[in-house]
Amino acid sequence: MCGIVGYIGNHDSKEILLKGLEKLEYRGYDSAGIAVRNEKGVHVFKEKGRIADLRNIVDDHLTGKTGIGHTRWATHGIPSKVNSHPHQSASGRFTLVHNGVIENYELLQKEYLADVSFTSETDTEVIVQLIEKFVLEGLEVLEAFRKTLTLLHGSYALAFLDAAGSDTIYVAKNKSPLLVGLGKDFNVVASDAMAMLQVTDQFVELMDKEIVLVTQNGVTIQHLSGQTMERKPFKAELDASDIEKGTYPFYMLKEIDEQPLVIRKIIQTYQNEQGQLSIDPEIIETVNQADRIYIIAAGTSYNAGLVGKQLIETLAKIPVEVHIASEFSYNMPLLSAKPLFIFISQSGETADSRAVLVHVKELGYPTLTVTNVPGSTLSREADYTLLLHAGPEIAVASTKAYTAQIAVLAILSEVAAKYKGLETGFELTQELGLVANAMETLCDSKEIIEIISKEFLSVTHNCFFIGRGIDYYVCLEGSLKLKEISYIQAEGFAGGELKHGTIALIEEGTPIVALATQASVNLSIRGNVKEVVARGANPCIISMNGLNMDEDSFVIPEVHELLTPLVSVVPLQLLAYYAAIQRGCDVDKPRNLAKSVTVE
Ligand code: F6R
């Protein structure tokens, strides 16, 4: 969701900005723009659509060693050239890009800017117009910026240029992520490190309510109150090759294939020198002191949380509730006496989850974030973090992060159980090793899933996924995958629930994917399949070896019952992938979606 880049240095900024924006494409966007400053002023290029469309309109001959760029995911105002960033003040002196939402923009417009004519429908434009207004009233640019920031309510990561003033990128953030990158004779600004890995791996974290002045040779950080802040840079532990597609047609397929490796990496990382699974004892004590765990997450991470509930309750015997982050803030259940909050988030930046984190921290409850991104907002702000070690996930549809989340939650559950002397009855390291092998087998059987998806999903506008128990949770994820990248309407249902209403939608040929990986409900789910087949549905049963029957379309290798989601989700991910390919969809960048949802 919206991305920002900036460059100030020795080289022409244009290509660095455009490449940076391409690296941010994965976050999701609908328009893009750049502004380049040279001795003649600031030159703005913006366009609705892809970065490739923006490239087509950028003047090849223009050069300028300072610039800012933006990918926009529309919130206020339709996706259009006019609403794209950068936005300029009325005189054109100030040029600004912004990520986030200014909640009081209409109020500010009325109170301070009634005589200014606005060119866009965005909340952003109010920021750049306010800066200019305060400068016209006699404030220095920095003071005008500071005054503007004190008036804003909401979230922002922003950067602006002053055509008439010094060669500086003015930067600030509140709630939305933003980093400054350091180089020799240049400095950069980026929503995430990936965008600027092309020029540096040294970054400085920015905190909320800080103002940062970035020049070619220096970075000055001030708190909004005026106090100067010192901060050491960190090295982004990312390999540039991690974020390349290689020979894969889409990142999603690459990331599906990476899952066995990720599981092995997780086993390795969470093992101590004696080869036992191990987690910081302070985290384990905090988990075991809780009388109830509240898992907070969104989308795919929420679906992983549901499987996590099963794992924690079964192994560590602690009751767990799983909540959708965007609902929790204003619809909070009655909490137990000693709750622990676990935030699951691939990006670590999801605004809905962060809102809950801020709230429960104010209430004084312990918090743990499970995330793929070290140094992300949810990681920094929670008491504890467990990392996924899945490597960058670029495709908008989450795949390897989902399985990594489940694997880490399984390890957390087992270590917490063992710590208090509970017997789990199995050796998790070994079982996860078998999971990795099973995933590999599935990744090697792609052609079968491709054929199934062709036969099964080519002429449909809807599809249902059914399962019982833990399979039901995987069905929620399978249906989310299918709908988000292929645009086929898909829903996941508890096997027994379909007949309480939704069965009315079953027609001749309606595709039903059924999961059968749990011995205790194998016959019941097959009974549910019969109910829909009797009404014309076209079934695709995916079962686990040992529970399989003749009618099954696909059989996954046998793994421990509790860990089946790690394996059964793979054919569902592939089914979604091939269905999307068949329909000619842009698999990695599905319409309307953002990878990092940084607004509430
Ligand atoms: C779906 C997907 C989203 C995310 C959700 C939360 O494939 O990726 O549903 O899971 O937006 O994002 P994170 O995990 O970054 O908090």
Side-chain angles (χ1 to χ4, degrees):
M1 190 168 272
C2 300
I4 287 177
V5 290
Y7 174 89
I8 182 162
N10 263 340
H11 291 94
D12 184 30
S13 61
K14 210 172 51 215
E15 191 52 33
I16 297 171
L17 296 174
L18 288 168
K19 279 213 178 95
L21 291 181
E22 278 163 359
K23 296 291 178 210
L24 293 179
E25 280 191 296
Y26 79 97
R27 296 163 73 95
Y29 71 109
D30 44 53
S31 45
I34 59 169
V36 174
R37 185 185 196 268
N38 60 19
E39 51 304 332
K40 296 205 179 108
V42 172
H43 311 264
V44 173
F45 305 91
K46 48 194 198 174
E47 193 57 281
K48 185 182 162 194
R50 297 295 181 201
I51 309 295
D53 303 309
L54 175 64
R55 275 188 180 279
N56 287 338
I57 61 150
V58 170
D59 177 355
D60 281 343
H61 304 296
L62 176 92
T63 56
K65 294 179 177 173
T66 303
I68 51 178
H70 188 264
T71 47
R72 174 174 189 253
W73 189 84
T75 58
H76 295 64
I78 56 163
S80 67
K81 184 169 183 143
V82 165
N83 288 334
S84 315
H85 302 210
H87 290 287
Q88 293 195 289
S89 58
S91 76
R93 174 171 171 180
F94 298 103
T95 304
L96 175 139
V97 291
H98 162 231
N99 172 7
V101 171
I102 305 304
E103 288 155 10
N104 60 338
Y105 78 104
E106 281 168 317
L107 208 77
L108 292 171
Q109 207 170 342
K110 266 193 214 119
E111 208 170 314
Y112 294 92
L113 302 163
D115 53 344
V116 175
S117 84
F118 278 65
T119 50
S120 76
E121 303 161 275
T122 64
D123 53 332
T124 297
E125 195 179 338
V126 85
I127 312 172
V128 72
Q129 301 290 15
L130 278 175
I131 296 168
E132 175 154 294
K133 177 190 166 68
F134 297 139
V135 167
L136 290 175
E137 285 176 1
L139 289 185
E140 294 290 330
V141 175
L142 182 58
E143 290 321 307
F145 186 28
R146 194 188 309 279
K147 180 166 177 181
T148 301
L149 295 177
T150 57
L151 296 174
L152 304 180
H153 293 173
S155 54
Y156 55 78
L158 57 87
F160 78 87
L161 303 175
D162 173 8
S166 66
D167 197 3
T168 300
I169 306 179
Y170 295 81
V171 172
K173 83 165 231 66
N174 188 44
K175 296 188 191 171
S176 303
L178 199 60
L179 298 170
V180 170
L182 310 179
K184 194 170 174 320
D185 299 330
F186 72 86
N187 288 304
V188 295
V189 177
S191 293
D192 70 44
M194 270 193 258
M196 283 298 165
L197 265 190
Q198 46 164 329
V199 288
T200 184
D201 60 2
Q202 295 297 314
F203 290 88
V204 176
E205 239 176 71
L206 305 183
M207 303 297 173
D208 285 356
K209 303 211 171 6
E210 288 182 340
I211 293 185
V212 187
L213 303 185
V214 184
T215 59
Q216 181 182 345
N217 294 309
V219 175
T220 316
I221 308 177
Q222 279 183 11
H223 189 264
L224 210 47
S225 62
Q227 189 193 352
T228 304
M229 317 294 288
E230 295 293 331
R231 196 155 308 132
K232 285 200 178 115
F234 67 92
K235 183 171 187 278
E237 299 290 345
L238 280 171
D239 187 336
S241 66
D242 281 352
I243 56 176
E244 300 302 335
K245 258 200 318 245
T247 52
Y248 282 90
F250 288 97
Y251 280 106
M252 184 180 174
L253 195 61
K254 173 174 181 256
E255 289 162 7
I256 291 173
D257 268 358
E258 281 170 356
Q259 292 179 111
L261 269 177
V262 171
I263 298 297
R264 290 185 186 122
K265 170 112 190 264
I266 290 171
I267 304 172
Q268 229 173 37
T269 316
Y270 282 97
Q271 250 174 355
N272 62 19
E273 280 167 9
Q274 291 74 46
Q276 279 154 350
L277 291 171
S278 147
I279 285 179
D280 176 358
E282 216 178 303
I283 298 181
I284 296 302
E285 272 166 36
T286 309
V287 168
N288 280 330
Q289 275 160 13
D291 63 356
R292 184 168 287 261
I293 291 174
Y294 295 82
I295 291 181
I296 311 292
T300 286
S301 298
Y302 170 82
N303 294 340
L306 293 170
V307 179
K309 169 185 163 70
Q310 193 94 4
L311 289 161
I312 298 170
E313 291 190 339
T314 311
L315 300 177
K317 311 285 182 215
I318 306 167
V320 181
E321 290 181 23
V322 191
H323 290 271
I324 292 174
S326 57
E327 284 291 302
F328 192 88
S329 299
Y330 56 87
N331 197 8
M332 200 154 106
L334 201 56
L335 297 180
S336 66
K338 293 179 80 181
L340 162 68
F341 284 83
I342 299 185
F343 296 84
I344 306 180
S345 173
Q346 188 284 130
S347 63
E349 299 296 346
T350 299
D352 291 323
S353 301
R354 194 207 177 214
V356 180
L357 175 63
V358 170
H359 185 55
V360 300
K361 275 186 75 175
E362 276 165 12
L363 297 174
Y365 297 127
T367 52
L368 162 68
T369 289
V370 178
T371 183
N372 201 23
V373 185
S376 57
T377 307
L378 286 170
S379 167
R380 277 199 323 265
E381 296 183 352
D383 300 324
Y384 308 103
T385 295
L386 289 177
L387 291 176
L388 298 179
H389 301 286
E393 191 181 63
I394 312 279
V396 164
S398 185
T399 51
K400 62 176 178 173
Y402 171 81
T403 41
Q405 286 162 346
I406 294 173
V408 170
L409 290 170
I411 293 173
L412 178 68
S413 311
E414 157 146 312
V415 178
K418 291 229 161 116
Y419 190 83
K420 56 184 179 190
L422 295 175
E423 260 317 311
T424 57
F426 67 102
E427 207 38 71
L428 186 60
T429 316
Q430 209 178 332
E431 298 296 338
L432 282 175
L434 295 177
V435 161
N437 296 347
M439 284 172 152
E440 224 154 45
T441 308
L442 295 177
C443 291
D444 290 342
S445 325
K446 287 192 193 77
E447 324 73 55
I448 306 176
I449 301 289
E450 188 176 3
I451 293 167
I452 294 178
S453 89
K454 268 192 191 136
E455 287 172 355
F456 186 64
L457 289 170
S458 57
V459 284
T460 188
H461 58 276
N462 62 19
C463 178
F464 295 95
F465 289 69
I466 57 171
R468 285 177 176 250
I470 213 166
D471 283 342
Y472 163 50
Y473 301 148
V474 183
C475 284
L476 294 177
E477 177 56 10
S479 64
L480 178 61
K481 279 299 82 89
L482 184 64
K483 70 183 134 191
E484 69 183 323
I485 60 168
S486 75
Y487 315 142
I488 294 171
Q489 159 64 20
E491 294 306 329
F493 273 91
E497 182 62 14
L498 197 68
K499 59 180 166 292
H500 295 288
T502 309
I503 202 165
L505 296 177
I506 304 294
E507 296 170 351
E508 199 56 43
T510 302
I512 297 272
V513 179
L515 284 188
T517 73
Q518 305 294 302
S520 60
V521 289
N522 192 23
L523 295 180
S524 335
I525 192 66
R526 288 171 188 280
N528 297 136
V529 171
K530 290 210 164 66
E531 289 159 7
V532 287
V533 167
R535 284 148 186 95
N538 178 18
C540 165
I541 303 177
I542 299 177
S543 61
M544 187 166 76
N545 198 14
L547 301 177
N548 53 311
M549 296 188 182
D550 286 349
E551 70 237 31
D552 299 351
S553 306
F554 193 78
V555 181
I556 62 169
E558 189 176 350
V559 293
H560 190 283
E561 272 205 335
L562 260 182
L563 302 176
T564 53
L566 292 166
V567 179
S568 60
V569 77
V570 177
L572 303 191
Q573 294 167 341
L574 288 167
L575 207 57
Y577 174 81
Y578 288 115
I581 295 281
Q582 257 164 248
R583 298 175 156 239
C585 301
D586 187 346
V587 173
D588 285 340
K589 294 184 234 93
R591 69 184 177 210
N592 304 339
L593 292 184
K595 180 77 181 158
S596 193
V597 185
T598 49
V599 295
E600 283 173 42

